[in-house]
Amino acid sequence: MQSKERINKWKIELHGLHMKLFSIFLITILGIVLSFIIVQTCSLRKQMFRDLEDDLKSTAQSISAVYSSNAYMSSIRTVINSGEYRVRTMMEDGKILIDTNDLSFYIHWPDITCDASTVSRLLNASETGYFVSLQEDPEQVQWVLYGQVLANWDGNKEILLITKNTQNMIEKMKRQVYLLIKVGLVIMAAAFFVCWFVSKIYLKPIEEITKRAASLSKGDYSVVFPKGSYKEIDTLSDVLNQSVEQFASYEQMRRDMIASLSHDMRTPLTMIKAYAEMIQTISGENREKRNEHLSVIIQQSDNLSAFITATLDLSKLQSGTAELHFEKYMLDRQVSTILERIRVCDQDGHEFQAFLEKDCQIEADYSRIEQILTNLLSNAMKYGKDPIEIHVRRKDGNILLDIIDHGDGIPEDKLHLIWTRYYMVNPYGKDSAGAGVGLSIVKEIAELHNLSYGVKSPNGYGGWFWFRFPEAQ
Ligand code: ADP
């Protein structure tokens, strides 16, 4: 069982990023080292052949320089006795004049093709007055043959041939290639470890992020994704940290929603049930009491129905299925109409101060803007203090709407949250009368209209909600 797990772990690691990075690094380095060895070997071989040619050429020139002097024969002997070279002079018609075999008992002219016709063909083909050719004897030893004209006897040329085998050169080259391979192997071994550790180091932040993401998936919203390694990981961490904040706020919203739903639906339902029971047991025969209890039931049913309608309306707006009917109309007149209606129903006699510039025309969905106005005015009445100011004015091609109250306002750090569904600043205090849906509906409507909007709560004022509509012509 355990060995199966180990095999699986290895399989995962083989397909992992670490293994991939490691193999890419390693293959690249191996490629570079191998190409280096191949290129070096080829250029080494070329260079050695060139050196060998130069060597033969300079030895031949040292012999030809003393051709007509007494030192001629002794220079040939010295060259032969060095053991490295074989020397022969011959006439172009094939007659051999001096030969290694005659001058040394141990050293022999090799068995290579250098008869009169071959030599004269090579010389005639050369533009330089000499030739260099590579020959192989029956034992497959390679000989570099150098030939040049020593003298011309009435059209019959005397030719100097000097040759040397490549064995020494090949041995030397082999030693150098072995050395290169050894160095290459050391580099590759070092590269193996460096690549392993470098790829591990590069992957460390990803492993760390994966570990923390696993905690996040278990519902730990306190995780912070680490930064400070490299740019891409920092960006990923930023995105993940923002997502964690979002998840945490959704989670909070979910909890608030459950709390709010249970409160907002259960309270009216409990009251409806309690008053219905009271009618059944106490006030059934007493007409006056019964009517009183029935009106509570009706009031609570209305609250419940309003809450459900608002929640459904918000879902409709958020899902994008709400249709808007745009029309041109005067915002100042809409505000006056709504204020009149509110004043008629307002039992607490709130003080409204309207500063309405005339004929402020906008293009919007009348009933949705009415929703914004009634929501904000009823919030000002619920959470703020009098006087409640409403300003409608024209500025720079826009129509500005401000609804201001003089209550305690909204704390600075909560301002951005009040647009969130089910959010209440004091859910268990004075705000519990609402459901936390009103402002999210306002926000959705404003965004569907592409309006600029906002809220502030400056010193000396309560809530100050503002909207900017483009003026319609
Ligand atoms: P509700 O539908 O319950 O009234 P809203 O979404 O309209 O909820 O408002 C959300 C919260 O914003 C309220 O619970 C309240 O705490 C705060 N709020 C809204 N308007 C004001 C205001 N004028 N003054 C102070 N607080 C406000």
Side-chain angles (χ1 to χ4, degrees), residues 264 310 375-385 403-411 414 417-427 430-442 455 457 462-465:
D264 288 298
N375 260 314
L376 293 177
L377 288 170
S378 87
N379 275 358
M381 289 154 75
K382 272 193 285 183
Y383 308 117
K385 281 196 191 121
I403 296 175
I404 309 161
D405 67 67
H406 291 79
D408 298 335
I410 303 148
K414 305 280 189 309
L417 294 171
I418 60 166
W419 308 101
T420 314
R421 194 205 279 226
Y422 303 124
Y423 183 79
M424 299 174 199
V425 177
N426 300 299
K430 63 182 167 106
D431 301 355
S432 59
V437 183
L439 285 182
S440 24
I441 292 181
V442 169
V455 59
S457 194
W464 182 325
F465 291 83

Side-chain angles (χ1 to χ4, degrees), residues 351-366:
E351 184 192 343
F352 294 98
Q353 294 179 350
F355 304 90
L356 310 174
E357 218 172 292
K358 281 217 167 311
D359 301 331
C360 288
Q361 182 164 253
I362 60 167
E363 187 167 10
D365 183 315
Y366 190 93

Side-chain angles (χ1 to χ4, degrees), residues 329-337 356-357 359-362 369 373 391-393 399-401 469:
Y329 66 89
M330 304 301 170
L331 181 62
D332 50 299
R333 286 185 214 159
Q334 186 182 26
V335 171
S336 304
T337 315
L356 310 174
E357 218 172 292
D359 301 331
C360 288
Q361 182 164 253
I362 60 167
I369 301 301
L373 290 165
H391 300 254
V392 175
R393 63 205 160 95
I399 304 295
L400 306 184
L401 165 71
F469 298 78

Side-chain angles (χ1 to χ4, degrees), residues 114-385:
C114 66
D115 51 64
S117 64
T118 311
V119 170
S120 103
R121 183 173 44 79
L122 288 171
L123 264 181
N124 289 337
S126 118
E127 285 171 11
T128 47
Y130 65 85
F131 66 82
V132 181
S133 105
L134 193 64
Q135 309 266 339
E136 201 175 79
D137 67 16
E139 274 150 32
Q140 294 182 336
V141 176
Q142 284 191 324
W143 293 85
V144 180
L145 177 68
Y146 177 86
Q148 78 169 68
V149 177
L150 275 177
N152 199 335
W153 303 103
D154 297 331
N156 196 1
K157 291 175 195 147
E158 183 179 345
I159 297 148
L160 170 67
L161 296 173
I162 178 161
T163 186
K164 187 178 181 179
N165 71 33
T166 57
Q167 258 168 341
N168 278 350
M169 181 195 88
I170 286 171
E171 284 306 316
K172 201 171 153 194
M173 203 175 88
K174 269 188 192 161
R175 278 198 300 277
Q176 301 232 12
V177 171
Y178 287 149
L179 187 71
L180 268 178
I181 290 175
K182 270 189 215 158
V183 173
L185 283 177
V186 171
I187 292 177
M188 282 190 232
F192 183 90
F193 288 107
V194 170
C195 292
W196 181 267
F197 287 113
V198 166
S199 48
K200 257 251 170 296
I201 288 169
Y202 269 97
L203 288 178
K204 192 122 194 79
I206 296 183
E207 281 170 5
E208 191 54 43
I209 285 179
T210 313
K211 218 191 294 167
R212 296 188 190 200
S215 317
L216 176 65
S217 71
K218 284 179 194 144
D220 177 6
Y221 296 116
S222 64
V223 286
V224 177
F225 288 91
K227 285 174 62 174
S229 40
Y230 37 97
K231 203 177 135 232
E232 288 76 5
I233 292 290
D234 285 359
T235 316
L236 178 64
S237 290
D238 278 342
V239 173
L240 288 171
N241 283 331
Q242 279 164 16
S243 308
V244 174
E245 266 177 42
Q246 284 280 346
F247 288 152
S249 80
Y250 287 146
E251 179 58 19
Q252 188 56 41
M253 250 166 73
R254 192 182 64 84
R255 288 206 192 110
D256 292 350
M257 186 178 115
I258 291 169
S260 167
L261 280 180
S262 51
H263 176 268
D264 288 298
M265 293 183 81
R266 204 180 283 153
T267 313
L269 279 174
T270 315
M271 286 182 73
I272 289 168
K273 185 170 179 245
Y275 277 82
E277 279 170 358
M278 273 159 68
I279 293 169
Q280 197 180 40
T281 53
I282 306 167
S283 60
E285 300 305 321
N286 183 334
R287 187 185 159 90
E288 203 180 315
K289 276 268 173 230
R290 195 179 62 217
N291 281 345
E292 201 184 300
H293 292 165
L294 277 173
S295 61
V296 173
I297 291 178
I298 292 166
Q299 170 70 50
Q300 290 304 321
S301 309
D302 285 347
N303 284 354
L304 194 57
S305 154
F307 171 72
I308 292 170
T309 311
T311 305
L312 289 179
D313 196 25
L314 179 60
S315 303
K316 205 166 149 193
L317 286 166
Q318 284 179 332
S319 65
T321 51
E323 257 183 56
L324 295 186
H325 303 285
F326 281 85
E327 57 183 301
K328 286 183 185 172
Y329 66 89
M330 304 301 170
L331 181 62
D332 50 299
R333 286 185 214 159
Q334 186 182 26
V335 171
S336 304
T337 315
I338 291 169
L339 276 178
E340 263 166 44
R341 203 188 306 147
I342 290 178
R343 277 193 185 113
V344 173
C345 312
D346 178 25
Q347 289 164 351
D348 299 331
H350 285 282
E351 184 192 343
F352 294 98
Q353 294 179 350
F355 304 90
L356 310 174
E357 218 172 292
K358 281 217 167 311
D359 301 331
C360 288
Q361 182 164 253
I362 60 167
E363 187 167 10
D365 183 315
Y366 190 93
S367 60
R368 290 293 181 188
I369 301 301
E370 186 170 318
Q371 251 181 307
I372 291 188
L373 290 165
T374 42
N375 260 314
L376 293 177
L377 288 170
S378 87
N379 275 358
M381 289 154 75
K382 272 193 285 183
Y383 308 117
K385 281 196 191 121

